[in-house]
Amino acid sequence: MHSAPASASSVASPIAAASEERPDFDSVPLIDFSGMLEGGAEARNRVATKLRDACINVGFFYIANHGVSQELIDAMFELAPRLFGLPVVDKMRWHVKQSSHYLGYVAMLDENANPAAGKGDMHEAFDFVPEDVQLENDFLAGDFRKAGNLWPDVPGFRDLATRYGIEMRLLARRMFTAFALALNLPEDYFSGLASEPMALIRLLHYPTQPGPFNEETIGTGAHTDHECFTILCQDGIQALQVRNRRGDWIDAPPIRGTFVINIGDLMARWTNGIFASTFHRVSNLSGHARYSLPCFVGANADARIEALPSCVSSERPAKWPPVLAGEYVSSAIYHSFNDKTAVNPRKEQMKEPPVTP
């Protein structure tokens, strides 16, 4: 997985870092990720320290110099209008409920990320997971849900999606290494726990909506992600917002050449709440269609998610009971498509109210 031997991190204890008093954030930090691709131990630890601080204070950050081809990213975005511009009757042939694992087309209003406020999310999506790939001498095991992939009759889609999936898996490996170092663990700590990770990739279309802002009819309502972390690529339209501890909504504008990374519920559970699974939402009032491309990276389906050794102490006992990664994510996805008017009790465990100013 790495060219250098696995070693323990020299980054400070996450518990000690989490105990530091920090001002609330009013922007999302940007991290130069190149040290994780080509740097030595010192460079990797510098990246990990910045990542740790962003995960504790914000739960969101941008990465630049990540190693993924901009040409490939652009090609995925060029594909999106061709797919979503098809007649609804055609897209419904690949609807997620035709799939054994809820993969394929997601129609407008199918989901409701915030049942407490919303009536249905104003977006459509196409979901797929990576399949097995032999990459030179490296076998990349696909997501266990791959049997449920429904590939659309759009020329070039499957080949392009496969290429993008490979890049996401390689970047996810590097991200897991960075997270291990940030948590004061050996850099290969997550290797066995995320060797065949659940990794859903989603192509999203948000039609523009007339103003003013209305939380009942929003692109995606306020929510946290289910998995360990999300690797998000945005087009040029501002619509993503992140909630800080005061309850203010902070824009996360598109920055070409970067990914937005955010912490999900499983990593928050693994880190005993030290890394923040932060609420975020999407509202497209731009006057133009918006497209985005998130990859939701989990652990192996059978990985037991419980507080990591560097994240518990006698003063900071475990906040949540252990869960199996696959069970947690699958139940959240099932709930999203089958009981979208009710709050998911497992997700509710993760909810922490904003601090009153």
Side-chain angles (χ1 to χ4, degrees):
M1 178 175 169
H2 308 291
S3 57
S7 59
S9 169
S10 63
V11 177
S13 157
I15 291 178
S19 301
E20 297 174 6
E21 187 171 341
R22 298 167 181 267
D24 206 352
F25 68 91
D26 56 13
S27 64
V28 175
L30 188 151
I31 297 173
D32 181 348
F33 200 67
S34 60
M36 291 305 304
L37 277 63
E38 55 195 29
E42 186 177 342
R44 294 198 298 275
N45 282 327
R46 281 198 299 269
V47 173
T49 298
K50 293 177 181 178
L51 184 150
R52 180 207 64 195
D53 290 346
C55 290
I56 291 172
N57 198 43
V58 185
F60 271 75
F61 54 94
Y62 299 88
I63 58 170
N65 301 315
H66 44 66
V68 180
S69 159
Q70 187 64 45
E71 181 183 3
L72 176 59
I73 293 168
D74 291 344
M76 288 293 291
F77 279 119
E78 287 167 7
L79 195 70
R82 288 168 48 201
L83 174 64
F84 294 117
L86 293 171
V88 173
V89 65
D90 290 342
K91 291 181 286 189
M92 290 302 289
R93 291 191 289 120
W94 312 304
H95 191 265
V96 290
K97 291 194 176 179
Q98 307 293 330
S99 164
S100 59
H101 286 91
Y102 289 92
L103 300 170
Y105 176 66
V106 178
M108 203 75 66
L109 303 178
D110 268 353
E111 297 176 300
N112 190 17
N114 183 12
K119 296 180 178 178
D121 292 335
M122 297 297 294
H123 67 241
E124 55 180 342
F126 192 89
D127 295 346
F128 62 94
V129 296
E131 298 176 342
D132 296 345
V133 171
Q134 185 72 38
L135 187 65
E136 297 178 349
N137 296 323
D138 195 1
F139 177 74
L140 299 178
D143 191 299
F144 81 95
R145 298 170 289 182
K146 57 185 176 288
N149 274 333
L150 298 177
W151 296 107
D153 299 332
V154 175
F157 186 98
R158 185 173 184 174
D159 288 346
L160 190 61
T162 297
R163 287 175 54 204
Y164 192 78
I166 290 170
E167 291 300 320
M168 288 300 97
R169 277 181 284 184
L170 295 175
L171 180 54
R173 283 183 176 184
R174 296 179 179 121
M175 290 303 309
F176 271 119
T177 299
F179 283 122
L181 294 174
L183 292 165
N184 201 24
L185 298 166
E187 63 181 8
D188 61 353
Y189 185 90
F190 293 110
S191 296
L193 296 164
S195 54
E196 302 177 47
M198 301 175 74
L200 184 141
I201 302 173
R202 163 167 274 203
L203 192 57
L204 275 156
H205 167 225
Y206 293 95
T208 188
Q209 295 182 247
F213 171 83
N214 182 352
E215 200 162 6
E216 291 187 357
T217 54
I218 187 174
T220 300
H223 68 288
T224 60
D225 291 343
H226 316 317
E227 295 83 354
C228 296
F229 56 90
T230 303
I231 305 171
L232 169 69
C233 196
Q234 306 187 78
D235 69 2
I237 303 296
Q238 164 56 35
L240 174 64
Q241 295 183 312
V242 180
R243 195 181 75 182
N244 67 14
R245 294 188 298 276
R246 295 189 304 272
D248 299 331
W249 288 97
I250 308 301
D251 287 347
I255 302 176
R256 184 171 171 79
T258 70
F259 289 108
V260 178
I261 310 293
N262 68 276
I263 298 301
D265 295 349
L266 292 185
M267 188 62 80
R269 283 176 174 264
W270 244 337
T271 62
N272 202 23
I274 291 174
F275 284 4
S277 183
T278 303
F279 276 82
H280 52 287
R281 68 187 184 189
V282 177
S283 178
N284 180 16
L285 306 178
S286 69
H288 304 279
R290 176 186 186 259
Y291 300 96
S292 70
L293 186 56
C295 176
F296 304 98
V297 181
N300 292 350
D302 61 356
R304 181 179 168 91
I305 307 297
E306 57 188 332
L308 294 165
S310 62
C311 298
V312 289
S313 66
S314 56
E315 293 78 23
R316 193 183 182 100
K319 293 179 66 173
W320 300 291
V323 295
L324 290 179
E327 182 182 308
Y328 182 87
V329 173
S330 295
S331 67
I333 291 172
Y334 179 87
H335 186 278
S336 175
F337 286 116
N338 292 280
D339 197 7
K340 68 178 184 180
T341 62
V343 173
N344 184 333
R346 276 193 166 180
K347 293 285 288 184
E348 194 69 9
Q349 284 184 345
M350 306 301 298
K351 189 173 183 179
E352 295 187 0
V355 175
T356 303

